[in-house]
Amino acid sequence: MKLSMLLWLASVLPQPVADQTCLATTVYLEARSESTIGQFAVAEVALRRRDRGTWGKNVCEVVKAPRQFATTTTASNFEITDLTAWTKAWKIAGDSIVNWSLPTNERMVYVPRADHFATTSVSPTWSTSRVVRTIGEHAFYAVN
């Protein structure tokens, strides 16, 4: 399925399913080759941003904020072809949403306070001494 079709689909689905679709798409695009923990960490950053409200009031708005996640930097005709990775991303997105709906003190947290991430091959200007944790090829940062 093309990225553009998935994002369009998310725009017409009811909110809980739309959020899971957008989050799964983000996990797939950003971290499909990463460990399960790395994928949960990517989802956690998006959910933390949603809670803060700065980047949007729902998951789809957050992951579609300009130049923040791969949903806006990947070509819209990109094909999601790895069904095993998509199925895993879908499950991680759903599990993450359920986990994030728990009271704060009951949540499983992988990257405390992290609201940004980048591959370890780059060093963004905003990243200076704010690394929370490195998981696989991603460094997670508490910027805000």
Side-chain angles (χ1 to χ4, degrees):
M1 181 177 288
K2 287 189 180 189
L3 175 59
S4 59
M5 178 60 112
L6 261 176
L7 295 177
W8 173 82
L9 189 59
S11 74
V12 298
L13 290 169
Q15 197 59 58
V17 181
D19 279 350
Q20 187 170 356
T21 302
C22 288
L23 193 57
T25 302
T26 300
V27 169
Y28 181 91
L29 293 174
E30 298 280 7
R32 69 184 170 277
S33 63
E34 294 293 326
S35 68
T36 300
I37 291 172
Q39 291 182 17
F40 273 114
V42 165
E44 181 179 318
V45 167
L47 291 167
R48 184 170 289 114
R49 284 183 172 206
R50 182 209 52 200
D51 286 358
R52 290 184 181 168
T54 305
W55 293 274
K57 63 182 180 289
N58 61 55
V59 174
C60 290
E61 287 179 5
V62 167
V63 301
K64 291 183 195 177
R67 296 174 309 282
Q68 297 300 306
F69 289 92
T71 54
T72 65
T73 60
T74 303
S76 63
N77 64 349
F78 177 86
E79 292 271 350
I80 297 198
T81 57
D82 185 339
L83 294 181
T84 301
W86 172 256
T87 302
K88 182 177 180 182
W90 180 262
K91 180 168 178 15
I92 284 174
D95 290 350
S96 294
I97 289 168
V98 168
N99 176 55
W100 217 248
S101 70
L102 296 171
T104 305
N105 64 334
E106 294 178 25
R107 293 178 186 164
M108 173 64 80
V109 176
Y110 297 97
V111 285
R113 301 174 325 282
D115 53 15
H116 287 70
F117 63 87
T119 63
T120 55
S121 63
V122 298
S123 203
T125 56
W126 45 258
S127 68
T128 309
S129 71
R130 293 183 169 135
V131 174
V132 171
R133 183 174 181 188
T134 300
I135 303 171
E137 297 297 316
H138 286 102
F140 293 84
Y141 303 92
V143 176
N144 297 306

